[in-house]
Amino acid sequence: MFDWLKRGPGRNLRDPLADSTNYLSAYDKEGRLRRAQNVDLKKYRESAAAATNGPRPLSTAEKKAEDAMIAQENADGITDDEKAANALQRAQLRARGSAEEISLPRERSGDLRPYPMNEHFRSQSVLSEELREQIYQQVAVVGLGVDTVASSFGVDMRRVAAVVRLKTIEKQWVGQGKSLAKPYNDAVLAMLPKTEYSPTRVTPHESINDLPVHPRTRNQLFYPTSESRHFTREDAAKAFDPKLLPADKRIPLPVLVKLEKWNLENLPREERQRRLREDDLAERTAQLAKEEKKAAWEARTQRVVPGRRWDFKFQDISAEKVGKDGRGRDAVGYRYGMPHEDRKRGLIKIPTSVE
Amino acid sequence: MVLKLRLSRVSTPGGARRHHPCYNVVLAHARTARDSKPLEVLGTYNPIPELPVGAEPGARKQKEIKIDVSRARYWLGVGAQPSDTVWRLLSMIGLLEPRYLPTGPQTEKALKAVRFPTHKTAESSQNNGSVTKAIRAKQAKSQNVA
């Protein structure tokens, strides 16, 4: 055991790497990080420590450039807020530049096994703090719909809703002066793989394969059908439950499928983004048009007359939908003398269309 | 024979039940039984106030009436007699003068005192079908000739 601790993989855990899960499966028997055979870990540790200790002192060239920028800003006469924002942006850029000198490659799926004996358990990413804040801002401050935010960030709708709820409570607690378990949160987040936020590109958080199991599909079903029939997923869904949507329409994030298809077509990034924007716009306009049409229909055919204790809602319908034989299926009103004739001789019940 | 616009009690979709009335608004001969087969079904009336689907918790309940407005207007025009209840309902959408007002029976004076917001004929309930248009055009033509 002491050998393992001093010379084996255990020596890495005495001084864990920042921004890494540090699972044992990420190291080989000699204690080398598998995914970083070509990276000098010592240098990486030093640079990471420098980054966490705050901004490093500026070199002379950088200092000159910074002074020139400030002079330029003063000449332009912009406000103090803008100046501060610009300075912060430059500092961040510099920090990123220095971090990129030595960086670890991303963890591969083989490195994400926290239990070395369990081959199949892979640690799943969690939302980073920044991404959660962005989601909250988009929903609660900007006022976008949960579905829009879900598809634009590649995060499941239920997860978006949960993030918004929890963030709301967090902000409420901060407002009330309650203490948060921040160190615990930070410690857990530091140990887990994370989905990071990037303003320029979308990293989908969810797996493209995930399909929630509907309770109606849990029971085993033997459904006899003709051999010649083309039995599709739509039919399968109907066999489980008449109201169940087919699997293709229950995909939580259809945008992921779209992105993958475009990826396989080798479309350039600009083209993919353009198509995504176009599809978004088309979807939104279609939704708006649908709502407008419904509102117009209601305004045309509905009247709500206020009463003393309740309202009377009048709906204008067409009485002529009963058809020539008075048996129209979608006619309004309860009908008279309408036995089901499906047991009568000579009435053919074979379906005339198959979906 | 007198034609009447009246309600006809029908069984609920799940079968007939006590205390769960459901009505068709029908056109029938006056002397036929209430629930017999009518000449025409004009709509339905649910007399139990219900919360609309997807309503907010504090919303008001609604009694739902579905009616073919242009058909009802036609039958009134050719002399069909509405029952009291149907008169009350149809007067709400301006097909008839209200027969009874909150102040009592309808008189000239009472009608002048009360102005229902819905008493004006709603634009939507005006018949603008092709037949009506043709009749109007014909009337206009004959007036021009005279």
Side-chain angles (χ1 to χ4, degrees):
Chain A
M1 188 191 79
F2 285 108
D3 196 41
W4 183 83
L5 263 182
K6 276 182 184 156
R7 280 175 288 280
R11 71 168 191 274
N12 293 300
L13 304 183
R14 225 177 329 172
D15 190 12
L17 282 174
D19 295 334
S20 173
T21 53
N22 288 297
Y23 292 152
L24 270 186
S25 55
Y27 297 92
D28 62 8
K29 267 182 190 163
E30 279 75 42
R32 290 185 297 253
L33 195 60
R34 279 177 210 269
R35 67 174 189 277
Q37 304 287 12
N38 307 329
V39 180
D40 190 349
L41 276 185
K42 219 176 209 174
K43 271 189 184 169
Y44 173 72
R45 277 175 205 276
E46 279 165 11
S47 73
T52 49
N53 289 344
R56 67 201 157 84
L58 302 180
S59 64
T60 44
E62 282 173 342
K63 186 130 194 167
K64 255 183 203 167
E66 182 78 16
D67 288 342
M69 288 295 249
I70 291 171
Q72 176 72 30
E73 277 175 0
N74 287 339
D76 288 349
I78 56 176
T79 63
D80 286 350
D81 283 350
E82 279 175 281
K83 270 185 216 166
N86 286 348
L88 190 66
Q89 204 179 355
R90 285 199 296 273
Q92 277 171 350
L93 277 178
R94 274 200 301 275
R96 205 174 294 159
S98 63
E100 266 164 11
E101 285 164 16
I102 312 164
S103 68
L104 283 181
R106 270 182 69 87
E107 280 138 332
R108 293 165 303 194
S109 79
D111 302 332
L112 291 174
R113 288 186 289 122
Y115 309 114
M117 305 293 280
N118 188 348
E119 280 281 330
H120 304 292
F121 187 93
R122 301 282 153 90
S123 207
Q124 300 291 314
S125 300
V126 296
L127 300 174
S128 69
E129 189 61 46
E130 210 182 359
L131 182 53
R132 274 187 284 158
E133 182 61 34
Q134 274 299 324
I135 289 175
Y136 174 79
Q137 292 292 334
Q138 294 295 323
V139 175
V141 180
V142 180
L144 291 177
V146 172
D147 49 345
T148 318
V149 175
S151 67
S152 63
F153 282 93
V155 179
D156 193 328
M157 210 146 54
R158 287 167 297 179
R159 212 184 294 279
V160 170
V163 164
V164 173
R165 279 198 295 272
L166 289 174
K167 269 280 170 194
T168 314
I169 294 174
E170 186 188 321
K171 302 217 179 248
Q172 202 181 333
W173 280 16
V174 169
Q176 290 169 353
K178 281 189 184 174
S179 65
L180 306 173
K182 213 70 187 160
Y184 171 74
N185 176 49
D186 294 345
V188 172
L189 273 185
M191 285 190 278
L192 290 173
K194 288 184 285 278
T195 310
E196 298 290 350
Y197 167 71
S198 153
T200 49
R201 56 180 300 170
V202 178
T203 325
H205 180 70
E206 311 293 341
S207 149
I208 192 170
N209 270 339
D210 281 356
L211 188 66
V213 177
H214 194 276
R216 290 283 181 193
T217 60
R218 282 207 191 114
N219 45 354
Q220 199 177 14
L221 188 69
F222 293 99
Y223 187 75
T225 179
S226 136
E227 211 174 298
S228 59
R229 183 173 168 192
H230 190 57
F231 198 78
T232 60
R233 293 185 200 186
E234 277 85 12
D235 301 319
K238 264 186 199 160
F240 277 116
D241 189 84
K243 280 186 186 166
L244 186 66
L245 287 175
D248 297 318
K249 288 190 180 157
R250 288 192 296 116
I251 297 174
L253 288 169
V255 69
L256 294 186
V257 179
K258 229 185 272 174
L259 286 175
E260 187 61 31
K261 272 183 189 162
W262 295 341
N263 223 354
L264 291 177
E265 283 172 27
N266 279 331
L267 288 180
R269 195 163 139 254
E270 290 76 30
E271 174 68 10
R272 271 181 284 168
Q273 284 182 340
R274 193 183 58 78
R275 283 199 190 181
L276 204 58
R277 270 198 303 273
E278 271 176 12
D279 286 4
D280 265 5
L281 193 67
E283 218 168 88
R284 231 175 296 154
T285 43
Q287 181 74 17
L288 270 181
K290 204 175 157 193
E291 279 168 15
E292 267 174 26
K293 203 177 164 193
K294 186 159 183 275
W297 174 79
E298 279 184 2
R300 201 175 65 242
T301 64
Q302 287 187 6
R303 287 284 173 280
V304 177
V305 180
R308 188 165 54 90
R309 289 169 67 191
W310 44 71
D311 299 340
F312 294 85
K313 190 179 130 202
F314 288 85
Q315 168 85 54
D316 191 2
I317 51 115
S318 168
E320 276 152 39
K321 278 193 180 162
V322 290
K324 276 179 187 166
D325 58 352
R327 285 167 181 258
R329 273 290 157 120
D330 49 352
V332 173
Y334 311 99
R335 303 256 83 85
Y336 300 80
M338 294 263 293
H340 281 298
E341 291 187 330
D342 52 353
R343 298 243 173 165
K344 222 173 181 180
R345 233 152 56 114
L347 285 171
I348 300 160
K349 292 202 297 176
I350 299 170
T352 52
S353 69
V354 177
E355 285 150 35
Chain B
M1 285 259 275
V2 175
L3 290 177
K4 291 210 79 156
L5 284 174
R6 63 185 185 195
L7 299 181
S8 150
R9 185 161 172 174
V10 287
S11 60
T12 46
R17 282 164 77 196
R18 285 201 299 169
H19 313 306
H20 287 79
C22 261
Y23 297 103
N24 270 355
V25 181
V26 299
L27 174 87
H29 285 301
R31 301 183 68 172
T32 52
R34 187 193 65 181
D35 297 344
S36 62
K37 194 175 178 189
L39 294 176
E40 191 172 348
V41 179
L42 293 180
T44 62
Y45 171 49
N46 180 9
I48 297 176
E50 274 165 11
L51 277 175
V53 178
E56 299 288 317
R60 275 166 70 85
K61 290 187 173 178
Q62 287 179 341
K63 290 189 175 185
E64 204 179 340
I65 301 124
K66 290 181 178 173
I67 189 152
D68 188 333
V69 177
S70 57
R71 270 326 264 170
R73 179 180 284 120
Y74 165 74
W75 283 118
L76 290 173
V78 295
Q81 299 292 314
S83 68
D84 280 2
T85 314
V86 172
W87 195 310
R88 182 170 58 87
L89 293 177
L90 294 187
S91 71
M92 284 182 189
I93 46 173
L95 291 190
L96 292 161
E97 300 275 313
R99 188 173 197 183
Y100 297 103
L101 296 165
T103 48
Q106 177 209 53
T107 56
E108 277 295 314
K109 220 174 160 187
L111 262 182
K112 265 184 195 167
V114 187
R115 280 280 170 263
F116 283 113
T118 55
H119 193 223
K120 284 168 250 156
T121 311
E123 200 178 308
S124 67
S125 56
Q126 278 174 1
N127 198 338
N128 277 323
S130 53
V131 176
T132 320
K133 273 179 189 165
I135 292 170
R136 275 193 202 136
K138 206 174 178 186
Q139 281 173 350
K141 215 176 178 181
S142 64
Q143 274 172 6
N144 285 345
V145 169

CSV table of all heavy atoms in Angstrom, one decimal, chain A residues 110-130:
chain,number,residue,atom,x,y,z
A,110,GLY,N,-13.2,6.6,-21.2
A,110,GLY,CA,-12.5,5.6,-20.4
A,110,GLY,C,-12.0,6.2,-19.1
A,110,GLY,O,-11.8,5.5,-18.1
A,111,ASP,N,-11.7,7.6,-19.1
A,111,ASP,CA,-11.2,8.2,-17.9
A,111,ASP,C,-12.3,8.5,-16.9
A,111,ASP,O,-12.0,9.0,-15.8
A,111,ASP,CB,-10.5,9.5,-18.3
A,111,ASP,CG,-9.4,9.3,-19.3
A,111,ASP,OD1,-8.8,8.2,-19.2
A,111,ASP,OD2,-9.1,10.2,-20.1
A,112,LEU,N,-13.5,8.4,-17.3
A,112,LEU,CA,-14.6,8.8,-16.5
A,112,LEU,C,-15.2,7.7,-15.7
A,112,LEU,O,-16.4,7.7,-15.4
A,112,LEU,CB,-15.7,9.5,-17.3
A,112,LEU,CG,-15.3,10.8,-17.9
A,112,LEU,CD1,-16.3,11.4,-18.9
A,112,LEU,CD2,-15.0,11.8,-16.8
A,113,ARG,N,-14.4,6.7,-15.3
A,113,ARG,CA,-15.0,5.6,-14.6
A,113,ARG,C,-14.5,5.7,-13.1
A,113,ARG,O,-13.4,5.5,-12.8
A,113,ARG,CB,-14.5,4.2,-15.1
A,113,ARG,CG,-15.1,3.9,-16.4
A,113,ARG,CD,-14.8,2.5,-16.9
A,113,ARG,NE,-13.4,2.5,-17.4
A,113,ARG,CZ,-12.5,1.7,-16.9
A,113,ARG,NH1,-12.8,0.8,-15.9
A,113,ARG,NH2,-11.2,1.7,-17.4
A,114,PRO,N,-15.4,6.2,-12.2
A,114,PRO,CA,-15.0,6.4,-10.8
A,114,PRO,C,-14.7,5.1,-10.1
A,114,PRO,O,-13.9,5.0,-9.2
A,114,PRO,CB,-16.2,7.1,-10.2
A,114,PRO,CG,-17.3,6.9,-11.1
A,114,PRO,CD,-16.8,6.6,-12.5
A,115,TYR,N,-15.4,4.0,-10.5
A,115,TYR,CA,-15.2,2.7,-9.9
A,115,TYR,C,-14.4,1.8,-10.8
A,115,TYR,O,-15.0,1.3,-11.8
A,115,TYR,CB,-16.6,2.1,-9.5
A,115,TYR,CG,-17.4,3.0,-8.8
A,115,TYR,CD1,-18.6,3.5,-9.4
A,115,TYR,CD2,-17.1,3.5,-7.5
A,115,TYR,CE1,-19.4,4.4,-8.7
A,115,TYR,CE2,-17.9,4.4,-6.9
A,115,TYR,CZ,-19.1,4.9,-7.5
A,115,TYR,OH,-19.8,5.8,-6.8
A,116,PRO,N,-13.2,1.5,-10.6
A,116,PRO,CA,-12.3,0.8,-11.5
A,116,PRO,C,-12.9,-0.6,-11.8
A,116,PRO,O,-12.7,-1.1,-12.9
A,116,PRO,CB,-11.0,0.7,-10.8
A,116,PRO,CG,-11.0,1.8,-9.8
A,116,PRO,CD,-12.4,2.0,-9.4
A,117,MET,N,-13.5,-1.2,-10.9
A,117,MET,CA,-14.1,-2.6,-11.1
A,117,MET,C,-15.3,-2.5,-11.9
A,117,MET,O,-15.7,-3.6,-12.5
A,117,MET,CB,-14.3,-3.3,-9.8
A,117,MET,CG,-13.2,-3.3,-8.8
A,117,MET,SD,-11.9,-4.4,-9.5
A,117,MET,CE,-12.5,-6.0,-9.1
A,118,ASN,N,-16.0,-1.4,-12.0
A,118,ASN,CA,-17.3,-1.3,-12.7
A,118,ASN,C,-17.0,-0.7,-14.1
A,118,ASN,O,-16.9,0.5,-14.2
A,118,ASN,CB,-18.3,-0.5,-11.9
A,118,ASN,CG,-19.7,-0.6,-12.5
A,118,ASN,OD1,-19.8,-1.0,-13.7
A,118,ASN,ND2,-20.7,-0.1,-11.8
A,119,GLU,N,-16.9,-1.6,-15.1
A,119,GLU,CA,-16.6,-1.1,-16.4
A,119,GLU,C,-17.6,-0.2,-17.0
A,119,GLU,O,-17.4,0.7,-17.8
A,119,GLU,CB,-16.5,-2.3,-17.4
A,119,GLU,CG,-15.2,-3.1,-17.3
A,119,GLU,CD,-14.1,-2.3,-18.0
A,119,GLU,OE1,-14.4,-1.7,-19.0
A,119,GLU,OE2,-12.9,-2.4,-17.6
A,120,HIS,N,-18.9,-0.4,-16.6
A,120,HIS,CA,-20.0,0.2,-17.4
A,120,HIS,C,-20.5,1.5,-16.7
A,120,HIS,O,-21.3,2.2,-17.3
A,120,HIS,CB,-21.2,-0.8,-17.5
A,120,HIS,CG,-20.7,-2.0,-18.1
A,120,HIS,ND1,-20.4,-2.1,-19.4
A,120,HIS,CD2,-20.6,-3.3,-17.6
A,120,HIS,CE1,-20.0,-3.3,-19.7
A,120,HIS,NE2,-20.1,-4.1,-18.6
A,121,PHE,N,-20.0,1.8,-15.5
A,121,PHE,CA,-20.4,3.1,-14.9
A,121,PHE,C,-19.5,4.2,-15.4
A,121,PHE,O,-18.3,4.2,-15.1
A,121,PHE,CB,-20.4,3.0,-13.4
A,121,PHE,CG,-21.0,4.2,-12.7
A,121,PHE,CD1,-22.3,4.2,-12.4
A,121,PHE,CD2,-20.2,5.3,-12.5
A,121,PHE,CE1,-22.9,5.3,-11.8
A,121,PHE,CE2,-20.8,6.4,-11.9
A,121,PHE,CZ,-22.1,6.4,-11.5
A,122,ARG,N,-20.1,5.1,-16.1
A,122,ARG,CA,-19.4,6.3,-16.6
A,122,ARG,C,-20.0,7.5,-16.0
A,122,ARG,O,-21.2,7.7,-16.0
A,122,ARG,CB,-19.4,6.4,-18.1
A,122,ARG,CG,-18.9,5.3,-18.9
A,122,ARG,CD,-17.4,5.3,-18.9
A,122,ARG,NE,-16.8,3.9,-19.1
A,122,ARG,CZ,-16.6,3.3,-20.2
A,122,ARG,NH1,-16.8,4.0,-21.3
A,122,ARG,NH2,-16.1,2.1,-20.2
A,123,SER,N,-19.1,8.4,-15.4
A,123,SER,CA,-19.6,9.6,-14.8
A,123,SER,C,-20.2,10.5,-15.8
A,123,SER,O,-19.6,10.8,-16.8
A,123,SER,CB,-18.4,10.2,-14.1
A,123,SER,OG,-18.8,11.0,-13.0
A,124,GLN,N,-21.5,11.0,-15.6
A,124,GLN,CA,-22.1,11.9,-16.5
A,124,GLN,C,-21.8,13.4,-16.2
A,124,GLN,O,-21.6,13.7,-15.0
A,124,GLN,CB,-23.6,11.7,-16.5
A,124,GLN,CG,-24.1,10.3,-16.9
A,124,GLN,CD,-23.8,10.0,-18.3
A,124,GLN,OE1,-24.2,10.8,-19.2
A,124,GLN,NE2,-23.3,8.8,-18.6
A,125,SER,N,-21.7,14.2,-17.2
A,125,SER,CA,-21.4,15.6,-16.9
A,125,SER,C,-22.6,16.3,-16.1
A,125,SER,O,-23.7,15.9,-16.3
A,125,SER,CB,-21.2,16.4,-18.2
A,125,SER,OG,-20.2,15.8,-18.9
A,126,VAL,N,-22.2,17.3,-15.4
A,126,VAL,CA,-23.2,18.1,-14.7
A,126,VAL,C,-23.1,19.5,-15.3
A,126,VAL,O,-22.1,19.9,-15.9
A,126,VAL,CB,-23.1,18.2,-13.2
A,126,VAL,CG1,-23.3,16.8,-12.6
A,126,VAL,CG2,-21.7,18.7,-12.8
A,127,LEU,N,-24.1,20.3,-15.1
A,127,LEU,CA,-24.1,21.7,-15.7
A,127,LEU,C,-23.1,22.5,-14.8
A,127,LEU,O,-23.2,22.5,-13.6
A,127,LEU,CB,-25.5,22.3,-15.6
A,127,LEU,CG,-26.6,21.6,-16.4
A,127,LEU,CD1,-27.9,22.3,-16.1
A,127,LEU,CD2,-26.3,21.7,-17.8
A,128,SER,N,-22.3,23.3,-15.5
A,128,SER,CA,-21.4,24.1,-14.8
A,128,SER,C,-22.1,25.3,-14.2
A,128,SER,O,-23.2,25.7,-14.6
A,128,SER,CB,-20.2,24.6,-15.7
A,128,SER,OG,-20.8,25.5,-16.6
A,129,GLU,N,-21.5,26.0,-13.2
A,129,GLU,CA,-22.1,27.1,-12.5
A,129,GLU,C,-22.5,28.2,-13.5
A,129,GLU,O,-23.6,28.8,-13.5
A,129,GLU,CB,-21.2,27.6,-11.5
A,129,GLU,CG,-21.8,28.6,-10.5
A,129,GLU,CD,-22.9,28.1,-9.7
A,129,GLU,OE1,-22.8,27.0,-9.2
A,129,GLU,OE2,-23.9,28.8,-9.6
A,130,GLU,N,-21.6,28.5,-14.4
A,130,GLU,CA,-21.8,29.5,-15.4
A,130,GLU,C,-23.0,29.2,-16.3
A,130,GLU,O,-23.8,30.1,-16.6
A,130,GLU,CB,-20.5,29.7,-16.2
A,130,GLU,CG,-20.2,31.0,-16.8
A,130,GLU,CD,-19.0,31.0,-17.6
A,130,GLU,OE1,-18.4,30.0,-17.8
A,130,GLU,OE2,-18.7,32.1,-18.1
